[in-house]
Amino acid sequence: MTTKTTPPLVAPAPVPRQDTTRRNIGWGIGLLALVAVHWVAVGSTDFYVERLVAGWSNIVSFFAEAVPPDLDWDTVIRPGLDGLLTTLWIGLLGTTFSVPFAIVLAMGAARTVTSNRLVYQACRSILSFLRAVPDIVFALILVTAVGLGPFAGVMALILHNTGVMGKLWAEAVEDTDQGPQTALRTAGASRLQQLAHATVPMSLPQITGLLLYRFDVNVRSSLVLGLVGAGGIGLLINRSIKTFQFDEMFTYIIMVLILVVLVDQFSAWLRRRL
């Protein structure tokens, strides 16, 4: 017994052939331009691997002087621990003291929060300036103004971190679901009530994660700030390099590595608990 097949009501349309020639030419031109830019960059920076090979003996001599590390308690370990704690405190204060400024500027720089274009552009401009100037430049200026020490490092991190964190928080606020805020606005809630009951609670997990990330980054940045006189263990590393005490320097680097790992583990643990 044979069954009759019902012909399709609509005949399948043939798939048009795509002309990929123009797209392939575009990709080829883009790739050639990328290679040309890198070629110019390598020539301008003298980035030649043979120079590293030629200086291999100097690298070996450096590590021969750095290993084993100097583990003297009175002259190396104890000052290193004090400097390490100072570095941690600089990173902590530079992060937490920038929170009030960053949150105010972030709300002003978020389109979904600020309707006044003048306020929006002003907050964006301030964040762009603070973000564009590196923290080490702020530290150099502040060391000249207030002298050597951790205070200059904390202030430098506050200024730079306000710009970076304010920008990240503004984007986090803009990316949140606007449904609850719209519902509160429709119900007659004020702008402050919308922020307190909708915008901030919705974006709080992302804001907290970015805050912990910036704390991790600022602890590492505070090490570099010490190299320009802003206190911390970076100051000890700079002194060891200038006096050619590479075994001391290696000890301080090991201590910094331990601190970075501990801060990273603490941040990961705290994120899991939030």
Side-chain angles (χ1 to χ4, degrees):
M1 183 177 179
T2 59
T3 59
K4 294 179 64 178
T5 58
T6 305
L9 298 177
V10 180
V15 179
R17 295 183 58 185
Q18 295 182 353
D19 185 11
T20 60
T21 304
R22 182 177 299 179
R23 185 177 61 182
N24 292 337
I25 292 175
W27 277 105
I29 293 174
L31 182 60
L32 289 175
L34 187 63
V35 171
V37 169
H38 279 76
W39 183 273
V40 173
V42 168
S44 300
T45 57
D46 293 331
F47 186 79
Y48 302 113
V49 181
E50 55 266 24
R51 297 184 61 182
L52 183 62
V53 176
W56 183 255
S57 58
N58 296 329
I59 297 176
V60 173
S61 300
F62 172 79
F63 279 104
E65 296 181 20
V67 180
D70 190 349
L71 300 179
D72 185 84
W73 172 259
D74 292 325
T75 60
V76 180
I77 300 296
R78 187 167 61 183
L81 289 175
D82 293 338
L84 201 66
L85 283 176
T86 302
T87 297
L88 179 61
W89 302 147
I90 292 173
L92 176 65
L93 296 181
T95 304
T96 55
F97 284 0
S98 64
V99 168
F101 308 105
I103 194 67
V104 171
L105 290 172
M107 294 305 169
R111 288 190 180 92
T112 56
V113 175
T114 304
S115 57
N116 190 308
R117 187 162 185 82
L118 182 61
V119 174
Y120 170 80
Q121 291 296 341
C123 292
R124 283 275 174 173
S125 300
I126 295 173
L127 291 177
S128 297
F129 170 75
L130 295 176
R131 191 171 65 254
V133 180
D135 47 15
I136 193 169
V137 175
F138 278 129
L140 287 170
I141 297 172
L142 290 166
V143 163
T144 305
V146 302
L148 301 174
F151 178 74
V154 173
M155 287 300 303
L157 283 182
I158 290 175
L159 292 173
H160 182 71
N161 192 65
T162 297
V164 176
M165 204 156 58
K167 168 70 172 177
L168 295 175
W169 282 358
E171 293 179 350
V173 169
E174 289 181 346
D175 291 339
T176 56
D177 183 14
Q178 299 303 309
Q181 183 175 341
T182 303
L184 288 175
R185 184 169 59 249
T186 305
S190 65
R191 182 59 58 90
L192 186 60
Q193 290 173 329
Q194 296 172 33
L195 288 176
H197 299 287
T199 304
V200 173
M202 291 287 294
S203 57
L204 188 58
Q206 192 171 358
I207 287 176
T208 305
L210 292 171
L211 176 63
L212 293 174
Y213 165 72
R214 286 304 304 173
F215 170 61
D216 189 12
V217 172
N218 287 333
V219 170
R220 306 178 195 204
S221 298
S222 60
L223 166 66
V224 181
L225 298 184
L227 299 177
V228 297
I233 199 170
L235 192 62
L236 300 178
I237 293 176
N238 190 28
R239 186 192 65 186
S240 300
I241 294 174
K242 289 182 176 179
T243 58
F244 301 101
Q245 302 295 326
F246 298 125
D247 51 350
E248 289 185 11
M249 181 207 68
F250 192 45
T251 303
Y252 296 142
I253 290 177
I254 293 174
M255 297 173 72
V256 169
L257 176 62
I258 294 174
L259 175 64
V260 169
V261 170
L262 290 177
V263 170
D264 183 66
Q265 292 297 320
F266 171 75
S267 298
W269 175 84
L270 198 56
R271 286 192 190 95
R272 291 193 297 267
R273 295 298 184 276
L274 294 176

